[in-house]
Amino acid sequence: MQVACPPETLNFLQTFYQENHLPDLEKRLEEVERCGFLPTFPELLYGAKLAWRNSVRCVGRHYWQYLHLQDARDLVSPSEVFDALVQHLRFATNAGNIRPTITVFKPGIRILNDQLIRYAGYEDGLGDPKNQSLTQQLMELGWTPPVQRSAFDVLPVALQVPGHPVQLFTLPEDAVLEVPIEHPTLEWFRDLGLKWHAVPAISNLQLSVGGIEYSCAPFNGWYVETELAARNFGDTDRYNLLPVVAEKMGLNIRKNRQLWKDRALIELHEAVLYSFDKAGVKISDHHTVAEHFERFCARERQAGREVKARWSWIVPPISGSTSPQFHQSFDDTELKPNFFPSKCPFH
Ligand code: ARG
């Protein structure tokens, strides 16, 4: 029996054929009407690229065409799924020359962790406070923290594969490249013992493409230094390091007008950029990213598309007014394909 092609599928296939100047859309639509929509590799890859292009919170979209796809839709067991995640991290890390990568699994699979690499947050305040509830859940699922706990204990990954109980997996060391943080001139910086992982791999968003919801489709780009320096290290509900750094710098943290927070932030940013460069790990700075985002917008306009963006995510958390985006406003409608919070529950 022939079923009409669902509008989202039709929309996506029209875009795919049109933007890639492909012939024979009619033939493909007939096939979809006969057998349902199972994206081909090129369709899925382009769909994932479009999901990136449409991500209103991403300032790094200039590179949307340079996405690698690992098609893992045929994997069925938890250990196969985990092996693919490890393979993803190794491929994406690429000894520091980070490759934007997405792995797509069969719908129904779920990862509990919001990123493949996350540091534990303990109840006594040690570690990354953002991950306290994740850490708690993982402990309830059977994880035991190391005897010598640290501020940077990599958490296991919790996988839910339909037909199997939830399973925890420990990432092998060689899949987690980390960068120790030091400062080009402030010698004491390295004694703070800070580090961060090279690859941010978001693992709790679902990829919506052509009417299909892929509940497990982890993806990564590379970092912008502000993400670590301003937010992860600087936020008061994260590692909260501004008072620590400012005091080491000899500033009076009771005097707002000494601008100790601002000065500490700048040193943290310089340290993060310096350390990643020294380690040969790709990282952007917020000024370059802002320029590239402008170029992305220009190219999109040329192609007849309006860029959707969320201002508060696109403008950097420091020196906002130095970025061209600060002086603009954006419509933040989320077009499809896109990445959305997963509707598939994790239990
Ligand atoms: N801000 C998040 C973090 O600090 C990562 C979000 C994705 N970032 C990226 N550059 N692709 O871990």
Side-chain angles (χ1 to χ4, degrees), residues 115 118 196 200 202 221-224 227-228 232:
Q115 286 191 30
R118 274 304 198 195
W196 205 259
I202 308 294
W222 57 81
Y223 269 116
V224 183
E227 299 183 85
L228 314 187
N232 302 355

Side-chain angles (χ1 to χ4, degrees), residues 226-300:
T226 47
E227 299 183 85
L228 314 187
R231 307 299 311 283
N232 302 355
F233 291 149
D235 278 3
T236 51
D237 57 356
R238 300 295 297 284
Y239 283 81
N240 192 19
L241 288 165
L242 300 187
V244 177
V245 170
E247 294 217 294
K248 287 268 188 195
M249 291 169 68
L251 301 169
N252 184 344
I253 67 165
R254 277 164 302 280
K255 294 212 170 113
N256 280 337
R257 297 169 82 95
Q258 272 213 347
L259 305 182
W260 59 270
K261 288 183 187 171
D262 313 72
R263 292 180 210 281
L265 273 169
I266 293 301
E267 300 309 339
L268 268 164
H269 281 72
E270 188 172 3
V272 167
L273 286 171
Y274 174 79
S275 306
F276 271 65
D277 284 349
K278 185 170 170 183
V281 174
K282 200 174 175 82
I283 192 162
S284 292
D285 66 83
H286 55 291
H287 298 295
T288 305
V289 150
E291 283 170 24
H292 288 176
F293 189 75
E294 278 294 276
R295 280 194 228 158
F296 166 68
C297 293
R299 257 207 252 139
E300 287 297 289

Side-chain angles (χ1 to χ4, degrees), residues 6 11 14 21-22 70 83 87 91 97 99 131 163 178 195 199 248 252 254 265 269 272-273 283 288 296 315 333 346:
N11 248 324
Q14 279 172 340
H21 313 289
L22 299 173
Q70 177 178 216
D83 288 347
Q87 177 54 30
F91 177 85
N97 189 13
R99 293 185 274 220
N131 303 325
E178 294 179 300
K195 58 175 171 175
V199 177
K248 287 268 188 195
N252 184 344
R254 277 164 302 280
L265 273 169
H269 281 72
V272 167
L273 286 171
I283 192 162
T288 305
F296 166 68
V315 171
T333 307
F346 189 99

Side-chain angles (χ1 to χ4, degrees), residues 132-253:
Q132 276 182 5
S133 78
L134 173 62
T135 304
Q136 186 60 38
Q137 288 179 78
L138 291 167
M139 283 167 68
E140 277 157 24
L141 287 167
W143 184 61
T144 335
V147 188
Q148 289 269 23
R149 297 174 315 148
S150 80
F152 301 99
D153 294 337
V154 175
L155 288 166
V157 177
L159 288 184
Q160 179 180 283
V161 178
H164 297 265
V166 172
Q167 234 172 293
L168 296 188
F169 292 90
T170 304
L171 291 167
E173 263 175 38
D174 73 290
V176 184
L177 180 60
E178 294 179 300
V179 178
I181 307 297
E182 54 182 297
H183 190 282
T185 54
L186 303 172
E187 292 280 324
W188 47 264
F189 220 100
R190 75 167 73 230
D191 304 329
L192 297 174
L194 306 179
K195 58 175 171 175
W196 205 259
H197 51 89
V199 177
I202 308 294
S203 49
N204 66 344
L205 296 183
Q206 72 181 31
L207 167 65
S208 173
V209 53
I212 305 180
E213 306 295 328
Y214 291 102
S215 51
C216 188
F219 60 88
N220 74 278
W222 57 81
Y223 269 116
V224 183
E225 104 282 27
T226 47
E227 299 183 85
L228 314 187
R231 307 299 311 283
N232 302 355
F233 291 149
D235 278 3
T236 51
D237 57 356
R238 300 295 297 284
Y239 283 81
N240 192 19
L241 288 165
L242 300 187
V244 177
V245 170
E247 294 217 294
K248 287 268 188 195
M249 291 169 68
L251 301 169
N252 184 344
I253 67 165

